[in-house]
Amino acid sequence: MSIYDPFSVSRRDELVIERPQANRPHQGKVLAAIQAHADDIPLFCAGTVAKLLQEGYTGYLIQTTNDEKCGPTRSLGETILANEREVDDLARVLGFQQVFHLGYRNHRMDGDSALELRCRLILLFRLLRVDTVFTFNPWGHNEENPDHWVTARAVEAACWMAGMDKDYPEQLAAGLQPHAVREKYYWVARAGQPYNRVVDIGAQVEPKIAAIRVNKTQGPGGSTGSRLKAELAARGLRLPEWGDDDETADREYIRRFVIAPNFKLGQEHGLRCAEPFYYLGPSDDDRAVRDYLAEHAVPL
Ligand SMILES: [Zn+2]
């Protein structure tokens, strides 16, 4: 029994600061981060995923495209392989349990079967018993990449449809149970997209930098610092704060330039560093009914 009140949106617009929690309160829960491309999770949610895995979640990484267009080599095949290996490395760096590469062609997802993608996600959500997803905002403004919104809209629909007992009955016959995803963190990928949750990742700055650094083939951070360090050296110059080795140069470039907006957002909320999300949690639409029954029911 539930009361559906489409006008009651104000609670979703209240800004919540999600802070570190002790004693692994999420033990037993499962999250899935669904990205279209190898650089999405590192840029948009790596700090929060690292935080939630430290707090007890088990995590799975689902990658929808094959990333064939994004990398410095002329070969599509080499580009796919380099990105695929970096996604596997990303999963290891952040502590994901397993990676699922769905393999749709890069930049072409708006031509793929929406039904097939949704069915594959429903199967994964039921199989892995996913409680919480991270992905793009399916209705976020200024999103120009079809891989992003196609992925997000399939995730959005699969979250509730995975909990229905008449969708894909053959999956149930194979031993799976209906299982709805109840929590969604939609990351902010473009300027102007909304957020109602700011997650304190002050303790996860280094894992976020490590995740971005893994992504050398297409990411904005990967090995830029060491490349700039070599260019400076060729002119007889160096940056003392970027250290003496390539790894330090890469990390300090990412810290200063790539995640500068995360430090700025954190400072606006009294935190060291932060990631923003549009968060949708379990519905409390039936609270009014439960409160009414608890208050008014009397013995027969
Ligand atoms: Zn992307």
Side-chain angles (χ1 to χ4, degrees):
M1 188 161 37
S2 67
I3 305 278
Y4 174 60
D5 181 357
F7 310 132
S8 176
V9 294
S10 59
R11 63 191 157 84
R12 290 179 175 171
D13 292 335
E14 289 170 12
L15 186 75
V16 169
I17 307 290
E18 182 173 326
R19 299 180 188 279
Q21 298 191 68
N23 303 321
R24 297 175 67 80
H26 303 304
Q27 193 75 40
K29 291 177 73 179
V30 175
L31 69 83
I34 302 102
Q35 66 177 1
H37 314 114
D39 58 347
D40 297 327
I41 288 171
L43 292 174
F44 302 131
C45 72
T48 302
V49 165
K51 172 185 181 291
L52 293 183
L53 296 183
Q54 286 169 12
E55 293 173 357
Y57 266 100
T58 298
Y60 295 93
L61 194 165
I62 300 171
Q63 159 107 10
T64 54
T65 80
N66 66 0
D67 273 325
E68 68 186 22
K69 306 296 196 312
C70 297
T73 65
R74 292 174 63 85
S75 154
L76 289 183
E78 288 173 8
T79 305
I80 293 168
L81 180 61
N83 278 295
E84 185 179 314
R85 285 177 171 156
E86 288 176 9
V87 171
D88 292 342
D89 288 343
L90 167 67
R92 273 190 290 279
V93 163
L94 286 179
F96 284 100
Q97 196 84 9
Q98 192 174 351
V99 180
F100 294 89
H101 294 277
L102 301 191
Y104 291 98
R105 290 191 65 190
N106 200 185
H107 296 173
R108 296 168 57 100
M109 286 194 72
D110 47 341
D112 291 322
S113 163
L115 283 175
E116 183 197 85
L117 175 60
R118 194 166 77 207
C119 180
R120 295 177 78 181
L121 291 169
I122 288 171
L123 186 140
L124 285 170
F125 293 167
R126 288 171 169 173
L127 175 70
L128 305 172
R129 307 204 52 82
V130 173
D131 300 295
T132 304
V133 289
F134 287 77
T135 196
F136 297 89
N137 187 325
W139 309 100
H141 293 167
N142 301 325
E143 183 48 77
E144 60 191 26
N145 190 320
D147 298 344
H148 290 175
W149 56 260
V150 169
T151 295
R153 289 182 194 172
V155 169
E156 180 187 52
C159 281
W160 62 268
M161 222 175 277
M164 309 291 283
D165 64 0
K166 294 184 182 63
D167 286 277
Y168 305 107
E170 64 278 14
Q171 295 182 9
L172 308 182
L176 300 178
Q177 297 292 318
H179 181 85
V181 176
R182 292 166 58 81
E183 280 184 293
K184 286 162 263 187
Y185 288 75
Y186 294 145
W187 58 58
V188 176
R190 307 288 185 191
Q193 294 186 351
Y195 58 91
N196 60 6
R197 179 164 296 222
V198 169
V199 180
D200 178 357
I201 62 160
Q204 287 79 31
V205 169
E206 298 310 317
K208 183 171 178 74
I209 290 173
I212 293 170
R213 185 171 174 264
V214 159
N215 186 219
K216 295 185 187 311
T217 301
Q218 65 171 289
S223 51
T224 307
S226 49
R227 183 172 53 75
L228 291 173
K229 175 171 163 286
E231 288 175 10
L232 281 176
R235 293 161 46 202
L237 298 169
R238 63 186 281 267
L239 283 169
E241 63 265 38
W242 284 18
D244 297 319
D245 59 274
D246 285 352
E247 177 173 347
T248 306
D250 288 340
R251 295 184 70 96
E252 293 312 307
Y253 173 86
I254 294 165
R255 190 187 315 277
R256 177 165 291 272
F257 295 107
V258 182
I259 65 170
N262 297 95
F263 286 115
K264 181 167 171 284
L265 177 70
Q267 283 163 10
E268 288 169 6
H269 297 281
L271 308 170
R272 180 179 167 227
C273 194
E275 288 174 337
F277 298 93
Y278 192 77
Y279 172 88
L280 294 169
S283 168
D284 59 1
D285 289 341
D286 63 349
R287 183 183 297 172
V289 176
R290 284 187 279 115
D291 288 351
Y292 178 83
L293 295 179
E295 190 175 339
H296 296 281
V298 297
L300 289 171

